[in-house]
Amino acid sequence: MRHFLTLKDFTKDELLEMIALAQKIKAQTKERKFVPYMEHQTLGMIFEKSSTRTRVSFETGIYQLGGVGLFLSSNDIQLGRGEPMKDTARVISRMVDMVMIRTFEHTKLEEFAHYSQVPVINGLTDSYHPVQLMTDYLTMIECGKHNPTVAYVGDGNNMTHSWLMLAAKLGFELRIATPQGYTCDEQIVQEALTIAQSSGATITFGHDPKEAVKGCDVVTTDTWVSMGQEDEKEQRLKAFDGYIVDEALMSLAKPDAIFLHCLPAYRGYEVSEETFEKHSDVIFSEAENRLHAQKGIMVWLDAHRNED
Ligand code: CP
Ligand code: NVA
């Protein structure tokens, strides 16, 4: 059984197969051709955190593939009242064909997958957001950035960890600038650097946004206060002073550099209003690509559901 928990569980070729599927299905969708790749299949969608994009894209995506999505908020199912994850997994996976989960600790997702009889997709954990990075890769290709130098400016969080894995697997250059005390998880960094040795990826870490952005093709960031960190908001806003992506910073990137943001965006904090609006076409194409990239992932997982 193949699950989609992190990008490190796949070869470069497998990730590219999923992207190729996403591109093919996107083209069909744009022609209003809805091919029932997953006819009569049910996708269980468990949410322990809020979501706009992940919920709408998965629910719409499975419907367009000929199946149906079940939105399962932890507030409404017994999981929220203390039923163990492993029991939830053993019940739900006997009834549905695939599961997507958004939760807190990555170990909770791994536990669910361990007990699941069907493929499980990570819809975001505290450690990773891999479906977003497949989306971001699809968006970069569409913008002609096939072998980009990417600068990530901001918090060393689930998005950064997934950027690390994407760069390490695909072999592009990634420069990360985080404030002291908000760097990436050291174990994830070491895993990414090990993978990077075989792909040829160049990954660098620092604390200077200007240094990271200089001459790059893609600039990206994420919220300074992720879901579950609301109590740290005040101290985080102070620590991230100077890390805003604004026009002064973007002027150091290549003139045709694109700006990506997984959304939701907090203007005046991680990105200025001006920079956000200037790049909004690409940002909202990126948001739409959640729908297309995840269809590629679901169809690929369905085709490989009997593999180890
Ligand atoms: N980018 C993203 O995952 O958005 P949502 O939190 O709205 O799902
Ligand atoms: N780092 C953010 C991503 C939101 C899509 C969070 O975890 O809240």
Side-chain angles (χ1 to χ4, degrees):
M1 176 76 56
R2 300 294 296 273
H3 300 294
F4 192 87
L5 306 188
T6 81
L7 301 178
K8 68 185 171 198
D9 304 330
F10 299 94
T11 64
K12 174 177 179 174
D13 285 348
E14 287 173 336
L15 295 173
L16 295 180
E17 275 170 30
M18 292 177 211
I19 292 290
L21 263 174
Q23 288 173 309
K24 178 173 136 188
I25 301 170
K26 178 173 180 177
Q28 290 167 337
T29 305
K30 291 288 175 191
E31 290 173 16
R32 307 299 289 168
K33 269 194 215 149
F34 298 103
V35 183
Y37 293 95
M38 294 179 69
E39 194 171 20
H40 301 312
Q41 294 203 31
T42 302
L43 175 72
M45 308 186 303
I46 302 172
F47 283 90
E48 291 205 273
K49 292 175 174 172
S50 305
S51 168
T52 299
R53 281 141 289 269
T54 306
R55 178 184 175 176
V56 176
S57 55
F58 269 109
E59 195 162 338
T60 304
I62 188 70
Y63 178 71
Q64 292 181 348
L65 293 171
V68 68
L70 279 187
F71 173 65
L72 304 166
S73 161
S74 56
N75 295 329
D76 302 329
I77 60 174
Q78 299 288 7
L79 180 67
R81 297 184 67 248
E83 185 167 18
M85 198 54 122
K86 59 184 178 182
D87 293 356
T88 306
R90 284 179 284 190
V91 171
I92 291 178
S93 72
R94 280 174 180 247
M95 300 182 191
V96 305
D97 302 286
M98 203 170 276
V99 172
M100 182 244 94
I101 313 182
R102 168 167 286 196
T103 187
F104 290 86
E105 297 87 352
H106 193 74
T107 48
K108 286 172 82 177
L109 172 78
E110 290 174 332
E111 185 184 11
F112 190 103
H114 178 77
Y115 285 96
S116 175
Q117 296 190 3
V118 297
V120 175
I121 300 174
N122 180 355
L124 181 146
T125 63
D126 290 345
S127 305
Y128 294 104
H129 197 4
V131 290
Q132 181 68 55
L133 267 291
M134 293 296 277
T135 302
D136 292 0
Y137 183 63
L138 175 60
T139 310
M140 290 194 294
I141 300 174
E142 288 177 348
C143 292
K145 313 291 180 198
H146 292 273
N147 185 24
T149 296
V150 178
Y152 177 97
V153 176
D155 189 20
N157 63 13
N158 44 11
M159 277 299 295
T160 333
H161 296 154
S162 287
W163 270 109
L164 275 170
M165 288 303 164
L166 186 76
K169 282 282 174 186
L170 300 189
F172 60 81
E173 181 175 353
L174 176 65
R175 305 173 189 163
I176 295 178
T178 53
Q180 306 268 10
Y182 294 92
T183 52
C184 296
D185 178 274
E186 196 45 42
Q187 193 185 327
I188 295 174
V189 167
Q190 289 312 321
E191 281 173 357
L193 292 178
T194 303
I195 298 168
Q197 281 172 3
S198 25
S199 71
T202 307
I203 302 177
T204 53
F205 302 89
H207 304 295
D208 182 355
K210 293 194 187 88
E211 199 57 45
V213 166
K214 212 181 285 170
C216 73
D217 303 292
V218 179
V219 180
T220 186
T221 183
D222 184 21
T223 180
W224 295 340
V225 186
S226 285
M227 290 180 276
Q229 297 173 336
E230 290 75 10
D231 292 350
E232 302 169 29
K233 184 171 176 183
E234 212 175 310
Q235 85 200 49
R236 282 181 162 268
L237 297 192
K238 278 192 205 132
F240 285 88
D241 189 30
Y243 279 76
I244 189 169
V245 178
D246 57 12
E247 287 308 281
L249 191 66
M250 286 302 293
S251 71
L252 304 174
K254 283 195 184 141
D256 66 345
I258 60 168
F259 172 73
L260 296 177
H261 196 307
C262 68
L263 303 178
Y266 298 90
R267 278 107 150 154
Y269 295 97
E270 77 271 10
V271 60
S272 70
E273 170 78 18
E274 191 184 5
T275 296
F276 185 92
E277 290 302 335
K278 193 169 160 189
H279 294 269
S280 58
D281 281 352
V282 171
I283 294 169
F284 291 109
S285 295
E286 177 189 6
E288 179 194 324
N289 275 339
R290 289 292 300 274
L291 173 67
H292 308 299
Q294 290 160 192
K295 282 195 215 168
I297 294 167
M298 287 192 282
V299 171
W300 192 96
L301 283 178
D302 184 40
H304 292 78
R305 66 169 63 234
N306 296 321
E307 292 174 8
D308 288 336

